[in-house]
Amino acid sequence: MPVDFTGLQCPIPISDYPNVLMAHGGGGRLTQQLIERMFLPAFENPALESLNDGAILSLDGVRVAFSTDSFVISPLFFPGGDIGSLAVHGTVNDLAMCGARPTSLSAGFILEEGLPMEDLWRIVQSMQQAVAATGATLVTGDTKVVDRGKGDGIFINTTGIGVIPDSVNVSPKRAQPGDVIIVNGAIAVHGIAIMSVREGLEFETQLKSDSASLHDLVARVLDVGGEQVHVLRDPTRGGVASATNEIASKAGIGILLHETQIPIWEEVRGACEILGFDPLYVANEGKCLAIVAREAADEVLTAMREHPLGEEAAIIGEVVADHPGRVFLRSRIGGRRVVDMLSGEQLPRIC
Amino acid sequence: MPVDFTGLQCPIPISDYPNVLMAHGGGGRLTQQLIERMFLPAFENPALESLNDGAILSLDGVRVAFSTDSFVISPLFFPGGDIGSLAVHGTVNDLAMCGARPTSLSAGFILEEGLPMEDLWRIVQSMQQAVAATGATLVTGDTKVVDRGKGDGIFINTTGIGVIPDSVNVSPKRAQPGDVIIVNGAIAVHGIAIMSVREGLEFETQLKSDSASLHDLVARVLDVGGEQVHVLRDPTRGGVASATNEIASKAGIGILLHETQIPIWEEVRGACEILGFDPLYVANEGKCLAIVAREAADEVLTAMREHPLGEEAAIIGEVVADHPGRVFLRSRIGGRRVVDMLSGEQLPRIC
């Protein structure tokens, strides 16, 4: 039965945004507006409103995380990975950020007519290898083909299910003053690796995306930190700035980041300067933020550093009672500046 | 770590199919080849190999169906529905065909820059109404935007989870000689409704897609048929012909369809003649095939006919021991002809 639109009005003022813009997919302010004004009111329910990286469900008493992500990255192949491995890492990480052990994945392919068969096959092999490394299985799939010029080679949706152990209790709302913020390594690598291919930048050594599945690192963190691990979040689109802003806003706490403590590789910093990017806003895929009670910080940091994907882990900030809902950065020279949500779109199609 | 391709070769001969064709997404022979030669060997596991409409998983002892589908239909709005309602019906039906009660859905949107915001909103409203009608909830989502000219307005992936009651035991492999094949109503309506918009055909009354969620009808069928309901399948892409071929091949049985018993509306038959389509190959979305033990056939048929979505239900064929793996049609004039898998692509982007 068709929807009766009498008396209904589009919740995003057509006069402001008559059409969808690239920034609506950028992970910043316009994405947030789209979600908060259009999607949440339409589908309102507690799981959706938690705005976790995935939903947390109870299926006949079993606590399950369920997360979906579509991947539209350009180019399809990049140093350190391709759309196939990225599509696995992205969804596995969203499950891991819910504290779940990934068990099952689905793959939905939208292929553009004319995609070289060999490219598809390489992408599938790469997905397979990434899936095998997680211990999960890819159990169901779907393939659609669209006419030439109506897609862009291949888009992949991966959706995943994971079981959450009873001992785990992570949620953005659990961030509280006194907690510390730990990252498992240098930020902005994935975004800059992609942008440098697109812009033809050359480095002394090739910069590779750090895209990886973090399920195992997260399992170690939860093993040592238990319930003292309050929040897990992977700073993908919109980077560390957007991820911390979302947490600050949801938990009603303030966040203070320490610029000198945030690990950034020199070549990434240089590329950011050339490209005019702030590394705090650059997308990651292989990095996670753990917000943990101060008394568990050392143990969690050590556990991360002992893991191959966490050797450069560092404490980069803290949760404060001041300025609730906002993120500040204590800069290299000692000043403090606001770190806001991304308002435009600096890195289109990075995941 | 990148895949080492030394010694590996694309399993689909590049000399035959150097590029992806529209027919690779048509649900017929080339789709099957892509699945069997490329996807199954890569991701091999029992859930995937069952080739159900969804995977059946055990999560800490709870039997769960998990299914994914991407929707790329053109046009986005059509008589009787739009891509939003279709995306819900499609995945809900895939879960229902596993015998599951749908509980949770995810939505992944790929928007093309420039999509009118009002169109997006109408689609979201329509999804919401379709979700509400199922009793499931949409619990998680994702939105990406691609550049103008790299998409086609909107593509939607929906993935769903449903719980399978203990009493249910459906699988293509359970089809056995003596079973009868029941359909819940007239076939080929969805495909012809879409094609008539694209081709500008006019009917005396507007032909509307029959797209609908079948979870409730299926629940009734399972209530009365129990374990005597052997197979459930919705004949979407590739139509009744492809669905029955898949079952025949998987169960190693023969299928005989009776042309005179297959319900087809006159205007649909007429449109098929004008467009040169065989209605057996036209996509449905609101129809399901139930293969049931003969002794349960009357009860299942009655249950379907008492349901608003099954008033025209009919027994259209039977499972036979002859010609295992193949489907025959006893025609109106009494002859028999082979009903083969679709080998090309007759109806692109119908779902």
Side-chain angles (χ1 to χ4, degrees), chain A residues 2, chain B residues 75-86 89 126 208-209 211:
Chain B
L76 300 177
F77 299 90
F78 51 82
D82 56 59
I83 191 171
S85 53
L86 186 73
H89 299 155
S126 167
K208 284 187 185 159
S209 165
S211 173

Side-chain angles (χ1 to χ4, degrees), chain A residues 1-5 8-12 14 17-22 24-25 31 34-35 38-39 42-43 45 47-48 52-55 57 59-60 62 64 66-72 80 101 103-118 120-122 124-129 131 137-152 155 157 159-161 163 237 349 351, chain B residues 1-5 8-12 14 17-22 24-25 31 34-35 38-39 42-43 45 47-48 52-55 57 59-60 62 64 66-72 80 101 103-118 120-122 124-129 131 137-152 155 157 159-161 163 237 349 351:
Chain A
M1 197 185 314
V3 177
D4 177 6
F5 282 95
L8 296 181
Q9 210 179 352
C10 179
I12 295 190
I14 305 294
Y17 297 104
N19 299 309
V20 170
L21 305 177
M22 290 304 286
H24 283 109
T31 305
L34 198 60
I35 293 171
M38 192 180 293
F39 296 138
F43 299 109
N45 65 70
L48 191 63
N52 265 318
D53 280 331
L57 313 172
L59 293 178
D60 283 7
V62 178
V64 165
F66 179 42
S67 185
T68 192
D69 226 334
S70 296
F71 296 83
V72 299
R101 174 175 50 77
T103 59
S104 310
L105 296 175
S106 68
F109 298 98
I110 299 176
L111 311 179
E112 184 191 8
E113 182 187 20
L115 173 73
M117 192 62 80
E118 179 99 14
L120 175 60
W121 177 63
R122 285 176 175 257
V124 167
Q125 294 301 307
S126 166
M127 284 187 83
Q128 183 277 327
Q129 199 166 87
V131 170
T137 41
L138 194 151
V139 292
T140 192
D142 174 60
T143 307
K144 295 287 172 5
V145 181
V146 295
D147 329 57
R148 204 182 283 266
K150 302 290 186 185
D152 197 14
F155 301 140
N157 176 283
T159 301
I161 298 178
V163 174
R237 280 184 293 177
R349 301 185 57 191
C351 60
Chain B
M1 199 187 315
V3 177
D4 177 7
F5 282 95
L8 297 180
Q9 208 179 354
C10 180
I12 295 190
I14 304 294
Y17 297 104
N19 299 309
V20 170
L21 304 177
M22 290 303 288
H24 283 110
T31 304
L34 198 59
I35 293 171
M38 193 180 292
F39 297 138
F43 299 109
N45 63 73
L48 191 64
N52 265 317
D53 280 330
L57 312 172
L59 293 179
D60 282 7
V62 178
V64 165
F66 180 42
S67 185
T68 193
D69 225 334
S70 296
F71 296 84
V72 300
R101 175 175 51 78
T103 59
S104 310
L105 297 174
S106 68
F109 298 98
I110 299 177
L111 312 179
E112 184 192 8
E113 183 187 21
L115 174 71
M117 192 61 80
E118 178 100 14
L120 175 59
W121 177 63
R122 284 176 177 258
V124 167
Q125 294 300 307
S126 167
M127 286 188 83
Q128 183 276 328
Q129 198 165 89
V131 170
T137 41
L138 194 152
V139 293
T140 193
D142 174 61
T143 307
K144 294 287 174 1
V145 181
V146 296
D147 330 57
R148 202 182 285 266
K150 301 293 186 184
D152 198 14
F155 301 140
N157 176 284
T159 302
I161 298 178
V163 175
R237 279 184 292 178
R349 301 185 58 190
C351 61

Side-chain angles (χ1 to χ4, degrees), chain A residues 88-111:
Chain A
V88 174
H89 298 156
T91 291
V92 164
N93 291 346
D94 284 346
L95 294 172
M97 297 308 129
C98 298
R101 174 175 50 77
T103 59
S104 310
L105 296 175
S106 68
F109 298 98
I110 299 176
L111 311 179

